[in-house]
Every structure is written in C-alpha cells, then in structure tokens.
Amino acid sequence: MRIYKGRILSFENPSSPREYRYMTVDDNGRIVALSDERPHVGGKLVDYSGSVILPGFIDTHIHLPQLRERAMISDSLLEWLERYIFPAEKRFADPEFAREVSHEFFSSLLRNGTTTAVVFSSSHREATEIAFEEAMKSGIRAVIGQVLMDMNGPEELLTTPEKAVKDIKAVASNWHGFDGRLFYAVTPRFAVSCTMELMRTAAEIAREMGLYVQTHLSEQIGEIEEVMRLFPEAQSYTDVYLKTGLLGERTIVAHAIHLSDRERKILAEAGTKIAHCPSSNFFLHSGVMDLKAHERAGLTVSIGSDVGAGPFLSMLEVLRDAYYANMMSPFKAFHLLTMGGARALGMEDRIGSLEVGKEADFVIIDPEPLAGADDDPSVLLSRLMILGDERNISATYVRGRRLAG
Ligand code: GUN
Ligand code: ZN
C-alpha cells in the first residue's frame, strides 16, 4: 500500500474538479481511498507536497512512425503525406529502425505524462509487433494498429484484403487484451487509400475479434473532394465508412472537422468516438473543429496529438490549441483530455479519473517554474494549459508504477 500526498485534482465533472490531499493505492495499482486527512492505514507515504497530481493524460490519436517527421510544412494534407510521410513510413520495413523509434516513442510519451495512447503504426506487420513489444516493456497503456492501405500510395506500403486479415489475426491474437493494458485497433488509413473491399474486410475482422477501429475522417476540403471523386455513390465521407461497416462503438475517427449535421447524427447513432486534434489542425491548416456542434449531436470527444502532423507530444501543449480552437474552461479541457479519452476507449470504469476503484494512472506536475502554485484551481490549471509542457511533468505512474521521472 502507498499513500500519495499532494494537491490531487480529478475531472469527472467538466465544470468543477474534485480535490483531495491523499490518495491510497494498493499493491495491484488500484485506488482504494481519496481523502483530505491522512488515512489510518499502514503504507509508505510518498510525499509530493507542493506538486499537483492529475489523472494520466490520454492521447487518442498519434502516429508512431511520424515521431521524427514533425514540423514538415506543406501546402496540403495530401501533398504532405506523399512528400514526407509515406517515404518516412517506408523506413519501418527495417526492424532495427522500427525498434529504435518505438522505444523512443513510448518513453517520450511517458515523460510527457501520457499514460494511454491510441497509436497508428506503419504498414508493416513486423514493425507493429515491435511497437507492441516496446509498449509492453515501457509499461504504458496502448491501443495499436498496423496501417492498412491498398490504393493511392507507394507500392511498398500497399496491402490486399487477404494479407490484411492475415496480419491482423497474427498480431491481434498475440496482443489484444495483453495484461489488460494493450489492445489492437484495425487501422484503415483513410478512405483515400482504401478500397471498399479492404474497408469492408477490415470492419468484418474487427467485429469478429472484438477489436478497436481507428481511421481519419474529414480533415481537409481537398481530401473530402478526393473521397467524393473516388466513391461517387456515397452521400458523404462519413457515409463511405457507414456503408463499409467501419462505424461502431469501438471506432475512433480523428479530426472530423468538416461535417454536416447529418454526418454527426450518423456518427452519434453508431456510437463512434471523435479524436479532436487541434495542434495538427492548426499546423496543416485543416480547419477548426466545432466542439459545440459535436456535443449537441451527442458525440464523445477526446483529444489527440496527431504527431507528426501535430508538432507536440505534450498534451498540455495540445490542450492550449484546443482552447484556441474552441473557447472552454480549463476544467472542461482537462475533462476532455482524461475522461473524454477514457470514454473514447470505453474504459471509463477503469481509467480517466482519480476515483476509488479505478486503476492508478497519474501524473505528478510541478507547477512552479511556469505556472505558479495558485490556490484557485482554475488559475492553476489555465496557467498549466496555456504555459505548460514536458518540463512541468516530474513523474508519470501507470497502475501505481512509476514509469518516468
Ligand atoms: N490522413 C491520412 N493519413 C494521415 C496521417 O498520417 N496524418 C494525418 N494528419 N492525416 C492523415
Ligand atoms: Zn492522424
């Protein structure tokens, strides 16, 4: 048993945080008590007085092979993919390179306070296996999937529906559900690079094996025009995914910027979750997602860094951009980052907040250097959200184990 002492904040409620002084975590990494007074149980006291303790950050959209491709300015998403990203992802055919970047990727996430990440790997089965191995060793929670494309990309990155199924079965049967910490996501890249047949096959295997699904939706106008040209029978971009069976409760779509109300309704009825990626959307000039419209439609919104189109691994920096994109209180921003992420994964009973019975994923924050330890939590958290970055993270815990700091 360990008792953590600090300024503990949790965001179950988007309009006001809960605050405690002590958090007791059992040897299985589960939270057994939260209180203002020191609990009368035996256990080692871990004293973080002067620090803030927040729920672990959940990044619901990030590309592992793009870690070293950040800040590549380009005229459009499609040009950026062709000129920088596809060539970079080809390099993951080399297992040694894949291992080096995967290791760096998960340790950097943990250093930044990210305790759960939803990850696009490259188009390679072996590199995806390696990503799982490195995620396992790091102790992080992750949902990972091999990127599927079977058109409009370089030959080396293309698959076929048959090969895709073999690859998914091989990797998902090893890793999906591993230690309750690692999961597989079927990952068709986006409609521009997938045939109907590949998307249908992907949807089927995901349903059969109970896997997550992740893809991109409606990020840029030029991309949407391309989708409508490729699938002229579809009523909308969202309709393409609906027809293929890819939309469901375990599906996360990234961006979802240029949507009609009808598309929002389709997504909401399917129970599909949104990864809002504001830093990426600013970087590629994709547009601004309308958070209020999404919430009116009943959609679950979470936050993604979308590295490498997003320049920041630090979810504090991504939150700053979320605030610039849509006016919101810092409580709401941290709620989306933590509870929103947990809901996107259907894991709100296990992670996403510091509550008794949940697993102890948390971040130790030193507010002094930039933010100052203001008494008012709203001042403290706005400073952290607007000024904070990796330097404010002094330690990261997953399931009660310190993995960074
Ligand atoms: N759409 C299809 N692939 C990608 C990608 O790698 N990054 C982003 N931001 N959008 C995409
Ligand atoms: Zn992306």
Side-chain angles (χ1 to χ4, degrees):
M1 205 81 92
R2 273 168 192 263
I3 302 161
Y4 296 88
K5 180 181 184 192
R7 186 169 187 190
I8 301 162
L9 293 165
S10 181
F11 309 98
E12 297 88 285
N13 181 337
S15 47
S16 70
R18 294 229 168 94
E19 186 163 353
Y20 314 92
R21 276 280 145 211
Y22 295 91
M23 175 169 71
T24 311
V25 177
D26 72 12
D27 294 340
N28 297 318
R30 207 170 281 275
I31 300 170
V32 293
L34 287 151
S35 56
D36 290 327
E37 305 301 327
R38 180 156 182 184
H40 299 292
V41 290
K44 183 172 179 300
L45 182 77
V46 186
D47 193 351
Y48 284 119
S49 297
S51 294
V52 175
I53 303 181
L54 300 183
F57 301 159
I58 301 179
D59 183 343
T60 59
H61 185 80
I62 184 164
H63 297 259
L64 183 155
Q66 297 175 17
L67 180 67
R68 297 179 182 178
E69 304 307 315
R70 289 174 283 166
M72 308 303 273
I73 289 177
S74 185
D75 286 343
S76 74
L77 165 66
L78 299 179
E79 193 214 48
W80 175 79
L81 286 171
E82 274 179 34
R83 188 196 272 188
Y84 300 113
I85 298 308
F86 293 158
E89 294 194 359
K90 279 188 207 168
R91 294 190 62 192
F92 285 72
D94 172 3
E96 223 169 286
F97 181 70
R99 187 162 310 272
E100 179 189 319
V101 178
S102 297
H103 180 80
E104 181 187 345
F105 180 79
F106 292 112
S107 57
S108 306
L109 284 176
L110 287 165
R111 262 202 321 279
N112 276 282
T114 296
T115 52
T116 302
V118 185
V119 181
F120 278 53
S121 172
S122 66
S123 308
H124 310 91
R125 185 209 283 197
E126 196 176 356
T128 307
E129 277 278 359
I130 290 168
F132 271 105
E133 285 166 18
E134 292 300 319
M136 174 195 57
K137 286 190 221 158
S138 78
I140 202 169
R141 287 178 208 273
V143 179
I144 305 173
Q146 177 181 345
V147 167
L148 306 175
M149 315 165 59
D150 69 343
M151 64 175 183
N152 293 324
E155 195 59 40
E156 302 96 304
L157 297 183
L158 301 186
T159 187
T160 61
E162 300 71 42
K163 180 172 179 305
V165 168
K166 273 195 206 138
D167 287 348
I168 291 165
K169 279 191 174 158
V171 179
S173 61
N174 280 343
W175 292 104
H176 186 63
F178 182 92
D179 189 32
R181 207 160 51 73
L182 302 177
F183 298 90
Y184 194 93
V186 172
T187 307
R189 179 165 218 130
F190 65 157
V192 175
S193 56
C194 300
T195 61
M196 272 308 215
E197 196 196 348
L198 180 64
M199 291 188 275
R200 283 214 174 95
T201 310
E204 227 173 84
I205 186 83
R207 215 178 2 256
E208 234 176 82
M209 296 183 71
L211 309 175
Y212 287 99
V213 171
Q214 58 179 348
T215 189
H216 297 92
L217 170 66
S218 215
E219 181 176 1
Q220 287 203 350
I221 302 295
E223 168 208 13
I224 297 165
E225 287 169 355
E226 188 59 13
V227 170
M228 297 321 289
R229 193 181 67 77
L230 290 165
F231 303 95
E233 70 291 350
Q235 285 176 7
S236 65
Y237 195 161
T238 303
D239 188 43
V240 174
Y241 291 151
L242 178 68
K243 283 207 167 73
T244 55
L246 280 170
L247 301 181
E249 290 190 356
R250 306 199 92 190
T251 301
I252 301 177
V253 295
H255 306 288
I257 301 172
H258 311 281
L259 296 183
S260 65
D261 283 340
R262 165 99 198 108
E263 289 178 280
R264 287 191 183 88
K265 188 155 180 277
I266 293 173
L267 294 168
E269 280 173 3
T272 290
K273 315 300 197 296
I274 309 294
H276 174 34
C277 306
S279 302
S280 163
N281 298 343
F282 284 131
F283 177 75
L284 286 179
H285 289 267
S286 301
V288 175
M289 192 200 81
D290 185 343
L291 178 64
K292 285 219 161 60
H294 281 21
E295 291 188 333
R296 269 199 306 274
L299 288 165
T300 298
V301 177
S302 59
I303 308 287
S305 66
D306 196 26
V307 160
F312 310 122
L313 282 173
S314 165
M315 296 310 280
L316 295 175
E317 294 182 276
V318 177
L319 275 199
R320 177 185 60 211
D321 287 337
Y323 168 76
Y324 290 150
N326 289 276
M327 178 69 196
M328 67 179 95
S329 75
F331 304 148
K332 169 75 179 195
F334 281 96
H335 172 80
L336 292 178
L337 176 61
T338 56
M339 282 307 296
R343 286 201 181 114
L345 293 166
M347 292 184 189
E348 61 270 33
D349 55 336
R350 295 174 51 197
I351 56 172
S353 62
L354 302 175
E355 289 180 85
V356 171
K358 286 202 180 182
E359 297 185 23
D361 291 10
F362 57 96
V363 183
I364 310 298
I365 304 239
D366 180 2
E368 275 305 329
L370 286 169
D374 203 287
D375 272 354
D376 179 345
S378 127
V379 173
L380 171 76
L381 292 165
S382 22
R383 286 185 184 157
L384 200 58
M385 160 170 106
I386 304 300
L387 305 172
D389 60 28
E390 179 177 346
R391 290 169 292 185
N392 298 86
I393 309 294
S394 31
T396 303
Y397 288 74
V398 174
R399 218 181 247 165
R401 278 180 64 212
R402 193 172 79 201
L403 302 180

